[in-house]
Amino acid sequence: MNQRDRRIYLIKSLLEENFRYRNTEIPTDTAEQKQLLRSLLNIRMPKAVNDEFLKIQNEYLQEETERKGITDFNDLTPMQEGIYLWQGDITTLKCDAIVNAANSQMLGCFSPCHGCIDNAIHTFSGIQLRNACADIMKRQGYEEPTGRAKITPAFNLPSKYVIHTVGPIVGRSLTHNDCELLASCYSSCLELAYENDIGSIAFCCISTGEFHFPNEAAAEIAVNTVKDFIEETGCDIQVVFNVLKNRDLEIYRGLLQ
């Protein structure tokens, strides 16, 4: 099977299991096929699937990530001892753990092809990630509180683990409580990493997108919390601050230089 064959198989399988979309016509254009497949993965509720689907999905997603290009954490140059700044797609970063800015359901983004990091991580990790998160939430029995964190395998991503944390949603103005909750996100993720012997962790810009946390304040909290944690615990964890936007790159660069 080549990538096109795998993509068509996955699309047909996902359409077949959802009676609402069974009559959907599969486009011939590659980009449109990829968009349809991502949309179907995004809206799929957590549930079991057969081994053949998983095998083909895994092969497809891993090949797609290879084609995008994988960045190995070990090839990065630190800005300070143990602290790195990297601009790029976090789903292509090979390190021990990446951090996902999740919502309180902890099941990923259900909005087709949405631009949030939660959507991207769940898309390219595969349906196993939503199933794993659903199992955690079923055992927990309530929505994930803001500032806490959970850990799962990364499945088809280059990293080993995904650490999920729910950041604060900022209203009309930033409050002291918002700042405390964001700091708790970073410390909770670091504590989980420490407990699981994770040597390298990459943080996205938690809460600065859909949750409207001011970028400058969020970056200051992120850097200070990470430095305080490393100093207090004496651990040698390597931390990557991952950014996508040039604005965030400049903010973090100013804080770390």
Side-chain angles (χ1 to χ4, degrees):
M1 264 189 173
N2 58 30
Q3 280 298 84
R4 182 186 179 280
D5 293 336
R6 295 185 184 108
R7 186 165 56 248
I8 296 298
Y9 169 87
L10 294 171
I11 291 173
K12 287 182 176 178
S13 298
L14 292 168
L15 290 174
E16 183 62 28
E17 75 173 14
N18 192 326
F19 72 93
R20 293 177 58 190
Y21 304 109
R22 284 179 182 173
N23 295 324
T24 300
E25 184 177 344
I26 300 176
T28 57
D29 179 73
T30 298
E32 292 178 0
Q33 288 177 4
K34 289 184 177 183
Q35 185 176 39
L36 176 58
L37 175 57
R38 180 166 182 167
S39 298
L40 291 169
L41 290 170
N42 293 159
I43 65 174
R44 186 182 190 273
M45 296 300 292
K47 55 185 174 181
V49 71
N50 64 64
D51 291 340
E52 182 182 13
F53 181 94
L54 285 180
K55 177 179 180 295
I56 294 173
Q57 177 215 237
N58 295 349
E59 292 172 350
Y60 178 80
L61 292 176
Q62 290 170 25
E63 176 65 22
E64 286 297 292
T65 300
E66 286 280 355
R67 290 184 180 188
K68 286 190 291 184
I70 295 173
T71 298
D72 194 320
F73 152 77
N74 293 303
D75 294 332
L76 302 181
T77 302
M79 293 282 290
Q80 296 182 9
E81 184 177 356
I83 298 179
Y84 302 72
L85 176 61
W86 179 67
Q87 184 177 31
D89 178 355
I90 201 169
T91 67
T92 65
L93 183 61
K94 183 179 180 181
C95 61
D96 287 344
I98 62 172
V99 172
N100 177 32
N103 57 49
S104 58
Q105 285 185 309
M106 292 282 286
L107 298 180
C109 173
F110 284 88
S111 180
C113 299
H114 193 260
C116 68
I117 192 69
D118 197 17
N119 187 292
I121 287 175
H122 274 266
T123 296
F124 294 103
S125 176
I127 63 172
Q128 300 99 308
L129 183 57
R130 180 166 283 167
N131 287 345
C133 289
D135 288 342
I136 290 172
M137 298 309 290
K138 184 178 180 180
R139 292 194 300 270
Q140 179 163 287
Y142 54 87
E143 290 191 345
E144 182 73 357
T146 302
R148 300 267 294 278
K150 295 288 188 293
I151 187 169
T152 64
F155 298 103
N156 291 294
L157 299 175
S159 57
K160 297 177 183 177
Y161 301 98
V162 178
I163 297 179
H164 311 258
T165 189
V166 181
I169 300 174
V170 177
R172 288 187 176 182
S173 60
L174 185 66
T175 67
H176 179 69
N177 187 54
D178 293 331
C179 296
E180 288 190 334
L181 287 171
L182 184 62
S184 180
C185 288
Y186 284 91
S187 59
S188 294
C189 290
L190 289 166
E191 286 165 7
L192 263 184
Y194 189 57
E195 291 168 6
N196 287 273
D197 296 320
I198 287 170
S200 56
I201 182 173
F203 284 100
C204 61
C205 299
I206 302 167
S207 278
T208 58
E210 297 294 315
F211 289 3
H212 308 298
F213 207 106
N215 298 63
E216 293 86 354
E220 289 182 13
I221 291 168
V223 170
N224 290 337
T225 304
V226 165
K227 287 185 175 181
D228 288 346
F229 182 88
I230 292 174
E231 182 178 351
E232 289 169 7
T233 62
C235 68
D236 58 358
I237 190 169
Q238 306 293 294
V239 175
V240 180
F241 291 112
N242 164 246
V243 299
L244 274 179
K245 299 176 182 178
N246 290 332
R247 178 187 178 191
D248 289 315
L249 180 67
E250 293 306 314
I251 292 171
Y252 275 92
R253 185 176 285 157
L255 291 170
L256 294 172
Q257 279 182 335

